[in-house]
């Protein structure tokens, strides 16, 4: 899901260049409800958002209307078969996206959720990283933090082992743990 035509076009070019045919780009924004809303296109594309945030790196180039959908609506249309991971990076609207997925995300077989949280962006929506954490926990998820680790030998960044976290942490992996497994903290 990419509501910005500029970023969606770049993504489609990248998919074509890499001959990836199993990806569909949908030019809509995810939120808590179906509808329309203004969308802020940032000059760098990294801070595009449904709001003007207090993030110092967000410089808005222009605003345009976007169509909104929800996780639950998409899953009702396409089904849940094969859905194992949802990645959410929506510059502050994370809680809205989670609220639009309550039916799926409360199910015992719900997919894992990888989500990036930043208070500077979330505050524009009356939210915070703590509220996102609380929502995921209310849905029955166990939260693990992911941090990039630079390997100086090859100049690479790799994610090191996740560890159980509480707020704040930048990037989370939220997993529904099988009751028979108990605590699987790495």
């Amino acid at each position: 899901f990419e509501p910005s035509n500029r970023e969606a076009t770049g993504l489609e070019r990248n998919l074509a260049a890499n001959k990836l045919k199993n990806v569909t780009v949908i030019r809509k924004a995810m939120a808590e409800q179906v509808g329309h809303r203004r969308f802020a296109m940032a000059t760098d594309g990294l801070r595009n958002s449904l709001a003007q945030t207090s993030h110092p790196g967000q410089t808005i180039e222009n605003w345009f209307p976007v169509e909104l959908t929800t996780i639950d609506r998409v899953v009702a249309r396409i089904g849940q078969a094969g859905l194992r991971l949802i990645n959410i990076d929506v510059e502050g609207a994370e809680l809205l996206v989670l609220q639009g997925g309550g039916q799926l995300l409360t199910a015992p077989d719900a997919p894992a959720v990888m989500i990036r949280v930043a208070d500077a962006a979330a505050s524009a929506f009356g939210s915070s990283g703590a509220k996102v954490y609380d929502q995921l926990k209310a849905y029955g998820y166990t939260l693990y933090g992911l941090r990039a680790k630079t390997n100086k030998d090859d100049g690479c960044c790799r994610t090191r082992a996740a560890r159980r976290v509480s707020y704040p942490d930048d990037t989370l992996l939220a997993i529904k743990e099988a009751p028979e497994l108990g605590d699987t903290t790495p």
Side-chain angles (χ1 to χ4, degrees):
F1 291 85
E2 177 53 65
S4 165
N5 283 332
R6 179 183 65 196
E7 276 67 50
T9 299
L11 177 56
E12 288 166 340
R13 272 193 226 124
N14 190 356
L15 294 170
N18 288 288
K19 298 179 174 86
L20 297 173
K21 297 181 188 297
N22 64 339
V23 178
T24 301
V25 177
I26 300 172
R27 294 178 186 226
K28 295 181 183 181
M30 297 296 267
E32 80 286 14
Q33 62 188 11
V34 174
H36 292 84
R37 196 175 281 163
R38 288 183 339 143
F39 188 78
M41 187 165 58
T43 53
D44 65 1
L46 298 174
R47 306 278 179 241
N48 293 346
S49 180
L50 290 170
Q52 182 166 3
T53 71
S54 61
H55 194 289
Q58 186 190 42
T59 303
I60 297 172
E61 191 174 288
N62 69 26
W63 291 88
F64 59 92
V66 294
E67 186 176 347
L68 304 176
T69 192
T70 68
I71 291 172
D72 285 341
R73 182 170 184 141
V74 170
V75 169
R77 211 173 114 224
I78 66 170
Q80 185 183 343
L83 182 57
R84 300 287 175 257
L85 175 70
I86 296 173
N87 181 37
I88 303 171
D89 186 355
V90 290
E91 296 305 314
E94 293 81 12
L95 186 59
L96 300 180
V97 174
L98 292 173
Q99 290 169 340
Q103 188 174 353
L104 172 69
L105 299 176
T106 56
D109 60 343
V113 176
M114 189 162 59
I115 189 166
R116 185 162 170 89
V117 182
D119 281 339
S123 64
F125 297 90
S127 183
S128 66
K131 289 180 181 180
V132 169
Y133 281 53
D134 290 346
Q135 185 67 66
L136 285 164
K137 287 179 184 176
Y139 284 163
Y141 282 90
T142 301
L143 309 179
Y144 297 92
L146 302 174
R147 295 251 189 227
K149 179 181 176 186
T150 303
N151 182 342
K152 293 182 183 180
D153 295 335
D154 62 11
C156 249
C157 243
R158 296 195 176 128
T159 302
R160 69 180 164 162
R163 77 239 178 266
R164 200 172 256 201
V165 295
S166 59
Y167 182 75
D169 204 280
D170 291 334
T171 303
L172 289 177
L173 181 61
I175 299 172
K176 290 271 181 122
E177 295 188 16
E180 66 274 6
L181 295 178
D183 183 2
T184 59
T185 304

